[in-house]
């Protein structure tokens, strides 16, 4: 489309012919294009085609996943609002609620790392404060390609800078996350952002609730041409040369976001708002359609009144723009002046751009003409829903755990290798760029803290202001497990999140997720997706851990090469008194180290196998959900009883890596009992449902475990400055240096 602008007059618009080829370029199939004709009873206008294409995109409509998402457990004793709104909402007592959600900004972050990641953070925060929640914490889960890939270093630098640049400027702490590297992400990195907020239960706002004859108000930044068809880009796989998609990446302004947070929360105290929606993916289109659909009403918008930062914009551009820091509100009639005064006090744009009707149609006017007249119910209810063909995943053969011995028969030689590998290496270079302490409520900081100022734990811990209680939060998934066995990998992602929260002493309450997969039109990818959701659902039900929000990101492929399936789980839990929480670092010498759970030595898909023997093979570990629940409940009860001084779940790298991380976090050594039979599998196997704990009262804890039928094994004692097994020792200083040096050396280009 070309636009010729005559000063102060309607632009002379030359719209392209509305054809099946044009619709295909917008991501629509021939059948979907025909359905548009059937719904309208005529050919669509260019603007109408744009509206249909973004609302029916994979990113907005979930057309390949809706049928399977319905199988997930979304209700529970603590759930106030499950999936379907901006964020999930759970009850945390005292008439307070936690609101949280995770979303992806994968494709934009690959194309333009800084802005892609920054606007991902901004978008997820808006999902929370749109509903009345003040953001109190951000987390992220990042996946990059092979460190040797020529783009990886610059992508890491840009993404981390974008996250820190946006989050730090808004004054919201970034308190946790994870960063991994694998060749499957070479052409398609993952940037998953999560926000947790707080609100009073009687002051939560929803997109639903609007009625007829109410003003529609635009709030925030002006609309530009950035991000047009961003939702469509996020619904297609990459090919070579997709850097040309830079115009579809939004540009964020964290300082405006901070103003928008304060303005919206203040306006919410005035009782002027009936309904509110963030202009996220698909911008003004999705927000206006959502409000109309959930209110069973119509919407009339006069787009001339939309604040614009570029000249000559036309309805197609205004409706599909994904410019950042914008909100759409339905106000109580007569409250416009009150709302305007509050919004403009914060130096933000405020405009009444339309009104609600009873005809259930979306009507768009500009320059005195009607550019769009679409019935809302079929736009939403008849959006495509596909039960795509799927084939069950082919599982790799099991391996012989005795066939992969220690190099030179040295346990610590293997530890030196694993502790310094990219996935286990300290991410201090990353998290030190994030402000994790702003707001002053952070109890457990990200990463390994070598000072006494803060503890580090398996989950971040943020205190609820003016209360003793705190929220625990974590993001988790092990993509290599999901790739090997999607069902067990889906279970494990949920279970590890549950363990990480439990390891602090908090009770896991609910989950958000970000389901990152390849092209769903391929039966093998759809088979991964279906099996993974089955595993996730079974784990959530067994652990009383419902899913209250989430995001699906499909088509994560480049030139036909899919990422490892990555269903990131963001968990949130609660501890009544933050002073009872424990971190992962050793705290006192001469304490007994115990392993809770059964160690059988599972080496399939382990980091030991990959990093020491150069093999990615074998089955993923089986997740015994009954054992997960029993072991976790035992650990939590012992923490709250004051019997455990430090706790760390056993995950990547196995038992010895967990102990080494506890030693580095506490800067204290340990002497461990030698193992004669298959030490490689014992120390580096990745069996699930396990925790390492320290205690000054081992007999009492051992007795309680026996009574509860919980497996427990004494493995060593804390103290000294070395980690010692039999005749082998490594200093904690050396261990820390190896763990801390890889990422800064890599980012400086010395590796």
């Amino acid at each position: 489309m070309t636009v010729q602008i005559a000063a102060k007059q309607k632009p002379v618009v030359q719209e392209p012919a509305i054809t099946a080829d044009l619709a295909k370029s917008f991501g629509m199939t021939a059948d979907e294009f025909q359905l548009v004709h059937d719904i309208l009873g005529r050919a669509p206008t260019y603007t109408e085609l744009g509206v249909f294409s973004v609302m029916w995109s994979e990113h907005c409509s979930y057309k390949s996943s809706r049928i399977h998402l319905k199988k997930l457990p979304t209700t529970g004793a603590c759930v106030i609002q499950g999936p379907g709104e901006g964020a999930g909402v759970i009850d945390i007592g005292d008439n307070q609620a936690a609101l949280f959600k995770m979303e992806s900004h994968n494709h934009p972050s690959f194309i333009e790392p800084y802005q892609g990641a920054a606007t991902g953070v901004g978008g997820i925060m808006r999902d929370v404060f749109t509903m009345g929640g003040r953001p109190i914490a951000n987390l992220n889960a990042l996946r990059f390609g092979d460190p040797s890939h020529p783009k990886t270093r610059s992508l890491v630098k840009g993404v981390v800078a974008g996250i820190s640049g946006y989050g730090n400027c808004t004054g919201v702490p970034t308190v946790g996350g994870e960063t991994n590297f694998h060749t499957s992400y070479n052409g398609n990195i993952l940037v998953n952002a999560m926000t947790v907020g707080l609100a009073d239960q009687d002051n939560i706002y929803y997109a639903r609730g609007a009625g007829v004859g109410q003003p529609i108000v635009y709030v925030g930044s002006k609309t530009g041409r950035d991000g047009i068809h961003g939702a469509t880009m996020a619904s297609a796989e990459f090919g070579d040369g997709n850097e040309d998609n830079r115009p579809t990446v939004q540009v964020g302004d964290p300082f405006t976001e901070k103003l928008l947070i304060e303005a919206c929360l203040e306006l919410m105290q005035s009782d002027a708002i009936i309904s509110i929606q963030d202009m996220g993916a698909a911008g003004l289109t999705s927000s206006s359609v959502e409000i109309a659909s959930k209110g069973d009403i119509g919407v009339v918008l006069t787009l001339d009144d939309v604040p614009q930062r570029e000249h000559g914009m036309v309805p197609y551009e205004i409706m599909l723009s994904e410019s950042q820091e914008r909100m759409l509100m339905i106000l109580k009639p007569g409250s416009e002046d009150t709302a305007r005064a509050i919004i403009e006090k914060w130096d933000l744009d405020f405009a009444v751009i339309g009104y609600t009707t009873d005809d259930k149609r979306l009507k768009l006017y500009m320059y005195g003409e009607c550019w769009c007249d679409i019935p809302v119910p079929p736009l939403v209810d008849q959006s495509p829903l596909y039960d795509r063909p799927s084939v069950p995943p082919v599982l790799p053969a099991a391996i012989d755990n005795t066939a992969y011995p220690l190099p030179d028969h040295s346990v610590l030689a293997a530890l030196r290798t694993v502790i310094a590998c990219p996935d286990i290496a300290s991410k201090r270079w990353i998290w030190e760029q994030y402000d994790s302490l702003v707001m002053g409520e952070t109890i457990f900081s990200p990463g390994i803290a070598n000072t006494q100022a803060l503890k580090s734990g398996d989950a971040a811990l943020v205190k609820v202001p003016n209360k003793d209680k705190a929220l625990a939060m974590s993001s988790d998934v092990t993509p290599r497990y999901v790739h090997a066995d999607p069902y067990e990998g889906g279970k494990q992602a949920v279970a590890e999140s549950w363990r990480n929260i439990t390891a602090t002493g908090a009770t896991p309450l609910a989950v958000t997720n970000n389901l990152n997969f390849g092209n769903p039109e391929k039966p093998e990818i759809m088979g991964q997706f279906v099996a993974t959701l089955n595993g996730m659902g079974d784990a959530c039900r067994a652990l009383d851990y419902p899913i209250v929000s989430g995001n699906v990101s499909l088509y994560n492929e480049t030139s036909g090469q899919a990422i490892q399936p990555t269903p990131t789980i963001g968990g949130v839990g609660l501890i009544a008194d933050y002073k009872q929480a424990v971190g992962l670092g050793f705290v006192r010498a001469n304490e007994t180290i115990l392993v809770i759970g059964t160690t059988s030595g599972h080496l399939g898909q382990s980091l030991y196998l990959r990093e020491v023997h150069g093999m990615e093979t074998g089955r993923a570990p089986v997740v015994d959900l009954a054992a997960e629940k029993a072991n976790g409940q035992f650990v939590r009860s012992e923490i709250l009883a004051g019997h455990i001084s430090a706790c760390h779940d056993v995950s990547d790298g196995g038992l010895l890596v967990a102990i080494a991380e506890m030693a580095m976090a506490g800067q204290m050594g340990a002497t461990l009992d030698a193992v004669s039979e298959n030490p490689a599998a014992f120390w580096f196997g990745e069996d699930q449902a396990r925790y390492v704990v320290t205690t000054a009262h081992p007999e009492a804890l051992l007795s309680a475990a026996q009574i509860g039928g919980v497996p427990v094994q004494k493995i060593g004692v804390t103290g000294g400055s070395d980690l010692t097994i039999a005749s082998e020792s490594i200093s904690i200083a050396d261990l820390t240096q190896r763990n801390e040096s890889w990422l800064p050396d890599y980012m400086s280009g010395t590796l």
Side-chain angles (χ1 to χ4, degrees):
M1 179 180 68
T2 59
V3 177
Q4 299 174 357
I5 302 173
K8 297 183 181 180
Q9 296 180 9
K10 170 189 170 183
V12 177
V13 180
Q14 296 176 345
E15 293 184 339
I18 308 302
T19 65
D21 285 341
L22 178 66
K24 183 178 180 180
S25 73
F26 286 1
M28 301 183 76
T29 67
D31 288 343
E32 291 168 357
F33 184 52
Q34 182 59 52
L35 182 56
V36 172
H37 280 76
D38 295 343
I39 288 172
L40 295 176
R42 55 175 171 79
T45 66
Y46 187 60
T47 301
E48 289 169 339
L49 183 63
V51 169
F52 273 101
S53 69
V54 293
M55 291 305 300
W56 288 4
S57 69
E58 193 74 61
H59 191 74
C60 292
S61 74
Y62 292 63
K63 56 189 174 185
S64 297
S65 58
R66 289 203 316 270
I67 194 170
H68 301 290
L69 295 174
K70 293 177 182 179
K71 304 171 187 176
L72 296 173
T74 58
T75 60
C78 69
V79 178
I80 295 173
Q81 173 65 52
E85 285 286 343
V89 185
I90 60 172
D91 183 352
I92 61 169
D94 305 311
N95 193 42
Q96 292 181 304
L99 301 84
F100 58 101
K101 190 180 181 183
M102 181 181 286
E103 281 199 347
S104 61
H105 234 219
N106 302 335
H107 285 22
S109 297
F110 184 79
I111 294 168
E112 180 52 68
Y114 185 95
Q115 290 296 349
T119 52
V121 173
I124 197 62
M125 284 200 290
R126 287 194 298 279
D127 281 339
V128 167
F129 72 77
T130 293
M131 297 185 68
R134 176 173 290 279
I136 63 165
N138 288 330
L139 299 90
N140 55 73
L142 311 178
R143 261 83 195 180
F144 297 103
D146 190 312
S148 65
H149 190 276
K151 288 186 178 180
T152 299
R153 187 179 285 107
S154 64
L155 288 169
V156 173
K157 182 179 179 180
V159 165
V160 172
I163 291 170
S164 62
Y166 205 100
N168 295 355
C169 291
T170 58
V172 178
T174 300
V175 300
E178 54 182 346
T179 304
N180 296 119
F181 299 83
H182 192 271
T183 55
S184 74
Y185 305 107
N186 281 351
N188 199 127
I189 65 173
L190 301 184
V191 176
N192 295 172
M194 175 177 170
T195 294
V196 181
L198 289 174
D200 292 336
Q201 292 183 23
D202 52 8
N203 200 33
I204 296 172
Y205 287 81
Y206 300 95
R208 60 182 183 265
V212 175
Q214 296 167 342
I216 302 173
V217 170
Y218 175 114
V219 170
S221 294
K222 290 180 170 60
T223 294
R225 291 187 170 95
D226 50 325
I228 292 174
H229 264 299
T232 303
M233 177 189 68
S235 305
E237 67 176 85
F238 276 156
D240 293 332
N242 273 73
E243 290 80 357
D244 292 339
N245 282 337
R246 278 193 177 87
T248 64
V249 178
Q250 310 93 323
V251 177
D253 180 353
F255 299 104
T256 299
E257 179 96 343
K258 175 60 174 174
L259 297 176
L260 191 59
I261 292 172
E262 301 304 330
C264 287
L265 294 179
E266 181 177 343
L267 182 56
M268 286 168 177
Q269 301 302 314
S270 72
D271 198 35
I273 300 174
I274 294 173
S275 179
I276 182 170
Q277 186 76 18
D278 164 42
M279 292 190 216
L284 187 52
T285 294
S286 62
S287 56
S288 57
V289 170
E290 286 243 354
I291 283 176
S293 175
K294 291 178 179 178
D296 204 26
I297 56 174
V299 163
V300 174
L301 300 181
T302 303
L303 300 183
D304 310 77
D305 297 329
V306 171
Q308 300 161 50
R309 68 167 184 262
E310 298 185 46
H311 295 295
M313 294 188 73
V314 293
Y316 172 89
E317 297 170 319
I318 292 172
M319 292 302 293
L320 271 65
S321 167
E322 294 184 6
S323 295
Q324 297 293 285
E325 295 91 36
R326 302 179 301 157
M327 297 286 192
L328 194 69
M329 300 178 181
I330 307 295
L331 299 183
K332 291 182 178 178
S335 66
E336 295 92 328
D337 290 343
T338 298
R340 183 186 298 276
I342 292 172
I343 298 300
E344 291 183 348
K345 181 187 75 172
W346 290 98
D347 200 26
L348 296 168
D349 278 292
F350 176 99
V352 179
I353 63 169
Y355 56 92
T356 59
T357 66
D358 62 0
D359 63 4
K360 303 181 185 179
R361 300 186 76 85
L362 173 67
K363 297 180 180 179
L364 307 176
Y365 292 89
M366 194 171 190
Y367 305 117
E369 298 179 11
C370 181
W371 298 67
C372 171
D373 187 352
I374 295 174
V376 172
L379 173 62
V380 175
D381 299 337
Q382 294 185 40
S383 64
L385 177 62
Y386 298 127
D387 186 0
R388 296 195 184 277
S390 64
V391 294
V394 178
L395 305 184
I399 63 170
D400 178 358
N401 288 331
T402 66
Y404 303 94
L406 294 165
D408 302 321
H409 306 287
S410 171
V411 174
L412 294 187
L415 177 63
R416 288 184 180 93
T417 298
V418 176
I419 207 72
C421 78
D423 281 2
I424 296 294
S426 168
K427 304 307 184 293
R428 178 184 295 274
W429 184 91
I430 293 175
W431 57 257
E432 281 193 337
Q433 297 184 53
Y434 304 151
D435 188 340
S436 63
L437 303 182
V438 66
M439 290 187 170
E441 303 291 356
T442 304
I443 307 301
F444 288 0
S445 67
I448 296 174
N450 291 323
T451 71
Q452 296 303 311
L454 291 167
K455 293 180 179 179
S456 58
D458 278 11
L461 203 65
V462 178
K463 193 169 80 69
V464 175
N466 305 312
K467 303 286 185 181
D468 287 333
K469 64 187 176 184
L471 293 175
M473 53 201 79
S474 179
S475 65
D476 299 282
V477 66
T478 309
R480 63 183 185 276
Y481 293 171
V482 189
H483 186 253
D485 187 335
Y487 177 73
E488 291 296 336
K491 287 163 61 180
Q492 193 275 340
V494 173
E496 186 176 351
S497 166
W498 194 85
R499 282 201 306 269
N500 281 331
I501 290 171
T502 293
T504 68
T507 300
L509 293 179
V511 163
T512 185
N513 61 59
N514 208 138
L515 307 177
N516 307 275
F517 287 79
N519 185 342
E521 297 169 45
K522 297 179 179 179
E524 63 273 21
I525 299 296
M526 207 63 214
Q528 290 177 345
F529 186 83
V530 172
T532 299
L533 262 63
N534 288 340
M536 287 171 51
D538 285 350
C540 287
R541 280 182 284 269
L543 299 174
D544 300 320
Y545 204 28
I547 297 171
V548 297
S549 61
N551 174 249
V552 178
S553 175
L554 302 177
Y555 294 96
N556 288 290
E557 298 197 7
T558 297
S559 300
Q561 296 299 308
I563 62 165
Q564 286 189 331
T566 310
T568 310
I569 300 294
V572 173
L574 180 71
I575 189 168
D577 185 350
Y578 74 93
K579 295 183 291 296
Q580 293 182 296
V582 298
L584 65 87
F586 294 154
V587 294
R588 285 182 292 273
N590 299 314
E591 290 200 330
T592 300
I593 304 171
L594 301 170
V595 183
I596 308 297
T598 301
T599 298
S600 62
H602 183 95
L603 286 179
Q605 298 299 327
S606 66
L607 283 185
Y608 168 82
L609 202 62
R610 189 177 83 188
E611 299 298 329
V612 176
H613 290 276
M615 303 176 69
E616 294 185 53
T617 188
R619 293 281 180 89
V622 172
V623 180
D624 183 334
L625 294 171
E628 290 282 1
K629 190 168 188 177
N631 296 355
Q633 288 178 335
F634 172 77
V635 167
R636 191 184 313 114
S637 66
E638 293 298 308
I639 291 173
L640 297 180
H643 299 159
I644 290 174
S645 56
C647 182
H648 189 19
D649 90 306
V650 181
S651 54
D652 285 345
L655 181 57
L656 190 56
V657 167
I659 294 171
E661 289 174 340
M662 297 176 81
M664 290 187 293
Q667 285 297 284
M668 182 183 298
T671 300
L672 305 179
D673 300 335
V675 176
S676 58
E677 185 176 348
N678 199 4
F682 180 84
W683 290 115
F684 297 103
E686 297 182 8
D687 306 286
Q688 301 296 295
R690 293 187 297 164
Y691 303 79
V692 178
V693 303
T694 57
T695 180
H697 309 285
E699 298 308 320
L701 199 147
L702 287 165
S703 176
Q706 183 177 17
I707 293 171
V710 172
V712 62
Q713 179 179 357
K714 183 179 175 182
I715 197 65
V717 62
T718 62
S721 58
D722 295 343
L723 187 63
T724 300
I725 304 176
S727 60
E728 289 191 274
S729 292
I730 183 172
S731 71
I732 302 307
D734 185 10
L735 201 61
T736 302
Q737 191 277 331
R738 290 175 182 273
N739 181 251
E740 295 270 354
S741 62
W742 180 82
L743 187 54
D745 287 351
Y746 172 71
M747 293 307 298
S748 68
T750 59
L751 283 181

